[in-house]
Amino acid sequence: MLAILTVIAPIFALMAFGYGAVRFRLFPADGIKGLIAFVNNFATPCLLFHSLLTSDFSSAFNIAIIGPFYIGALACFALGIVIALKAFGNRPGEAVSVAFSGTFTNTVLVGLPIMQRAYGVDALPVVLSIIGLHGAILLTSGMVTIELMRRDGASLGKTLLVAGKRVGSNPLIWGIAAGLIGYFSGLTLIEPADAFFRMMAQAVVPAALFGIGGALNEFKLSENWKQALIASIIKLIVHPAIAYVLMIWVLHVPMEIARYGILLSAMPAGVNVYVFATYYNRGVSVAANAILIGTVASAVTVSGWLYILSL
């Protein structure tokens, strides 16, 4: 237990530091958006590029880990839609948006720092192989589903085109693509370039955690907190539980490798669930609450998963 606290404490202390800095006006709230933009658009793409370039990516791309992660995510998406429709009486379009809040993982701002802290750089190749498909699979699935279910939905072709543009315009995808091209072409960085990417990569963890902590000041609990709580339970407990069963009990993946995918699936909802909700103007308050509740609750649930996975 002490080992788990040693891993978790600095992570959530940095989040609390960012939250307190903004809450007590020691850091400008507007600056948080710039900080997160730096992490998402510059620092993390550099980390992705350098990590893929210098790792054995071919062995990291393990379908026995990637498959259960996304099977679990899509199963949670379907479960969330059913609960939103039947238990809360939401309209179809709003139900999809609510379900998406329990589907899309915060792989970058929370996932990467925790994975690095818990398992070191050995976890990065597997984690990056999941991140590389994350937006493409889940964002496309969410957009197609909501367009098919809501009455004023766009055509399938138009939806896929919009989804493709959103995925293709993501700097994270650029970093992954550049890393793969460099890896398979045998690119070797000269020392100044290698040092540059290492320095940028080192900025990801503190900036991401400080930024997500500061961003939590924007999200307030509303009357839809119950739906957000259910979405958070699905994201923090059900998704990793499905991944665990499939990887360990069904596919018999060794725990020392499977734990990378399982723990990543236990991360809270990412900011993209709020972007998704505002884009369609469906379930916006639920998405905001899910980010707040899930991020705070993950301090406990991630500790629990680290214990189950024996750190």
Side-chain angles (χ1 to χ4, degrees):
M1 185 59 70
L2 180 60
I4 292 174
L5 290 176
T6 301
V7 170
I8 290 297
I11 297 292
F12 288 93
L14 269 169
M15 287 189 193
F17 191 38
Y19 177 85
V22 174
R23 177 70 177 82
F24 296 106
R25 299 181 181 179
L26 301 174
F27 189 91
D30 291 341
I32 290 296
K33 295 181 180 179
L35 185 61
I36 291 178
F38 165 74
V39 172
N40 286 331
N41 299 337
F42 297 96
T44 303
C46 288
L47 168 65
L48 295 171
F49 168 74
H50 188 265
S51 297
L52 290 174
L53 186 65
T54 57
S55 67
D56 185 5
F57 181 77
S58 58
S59 63
F61 196 85
N62 190 336
I63 192 64
I65 295 177
I66 296 173
F69 180 95
Y70 286 108
I71 290 173
L74 294 175
C76 288
F77 187 39
L79 175 64
I81 292 175
V82 172
I83 292 176
L85 287 172
K86 303 298 183 181
F88 293 100
N90 289 320
R91 293 173 298 174
E94 190 169 35
V96 175
S97 182
V98 170
F100 197 71
S101 295
T103 303
F104 201 94
T105 305
N106 194 334
T107 56
V108 175
L109 296 180
V110 178
L112 274 176
I114 290 181
M115 298 303 297
Q116 284 187 273
R117 178 69 182 167
Y119 301 125
V121 295
D122 291 341
L124 284 183
V126 173
V127 170
L128 298 182
S129 69
I130 294 174
I131 292 176
L133 299 170
H134 194 250
I137 292 177
L138 298 186
L139 187 59
T140 301
S141 298
M143 294 183 72
V144 169
T145 304
I146 198 170
E147 294 293 0
L148 291 176
M149 290 188 65
R150 66 190 184 121
R151 291 183 179 179
D152 57 341
S155 65
L156 180 60
K158 183 178 179 180
T159 301
L160 291 175
L161 180 62
V162 173
K165 289 181 178 179
R166 289 181 67 86
V167 172
S169 63
N170 189 333
L172 300 178
I173 299 299
W174 302 348
I176 291 168
L180 290 176
I181 292 172
Y183 175 82
F184 287 109
S185 65
L187 176 66
T188 300
L189 296 176
I190 61 175
E191 199 284 328
D194 184 74
F196 167 82
F197 284 105
R198 287 185 182 277
M199 291 172 68
M200 288 292 285
Q202 291 170 356
V204 171
V205 171
L209 294 174
F210 187 94
I212 193 65
L216 291 179
N217 285 275
E218 295 185 17
F219 306 124
K220 309 296 181 184
L221 285 178
S222 70
E223 69 278 2
N224 289 320
W225 67 269
K226 292 181 180 179
Q227 294 192 61
L229 177 61
I230 296 299
S232 297
I233 291 172
I234 291 173
K235 183 70 215 63
L236 298 173
I237 299 176
V238 178
H239 185 188
I242 294 174
Y244 183 97
V245 169
L246 292 176
M247 290 185 207
I248 303 298
W249 294 356
V250 177
L251 299 176
H252 305 292
V253 179
M255 177 61 80
E256 60 267 21
I257 301 175
R259 62 187 184 180
Y260 300 154
I262 297 169
L263 186 62
L264 188 65
S265 67
M267 296 302 125
V271 177
N272 273 330
V273 304
Y274 185 74
V275 175
F276 183 89
T278 54
Y279 181 79
Y280 287 105
N281 194 27
R282 301 287 197 283
V284 176
S285 61
V286 175
N289 287 344
I291 295 171
L292 176 60
I293 293 173
T295 302
V296 174
S298 66
V300 176
T301 57
V302 169
S303 298
W305 282 108
L306 281 170
Y307 180 79
I308 292 171
L309 301 172
S310 299
L311 193 60

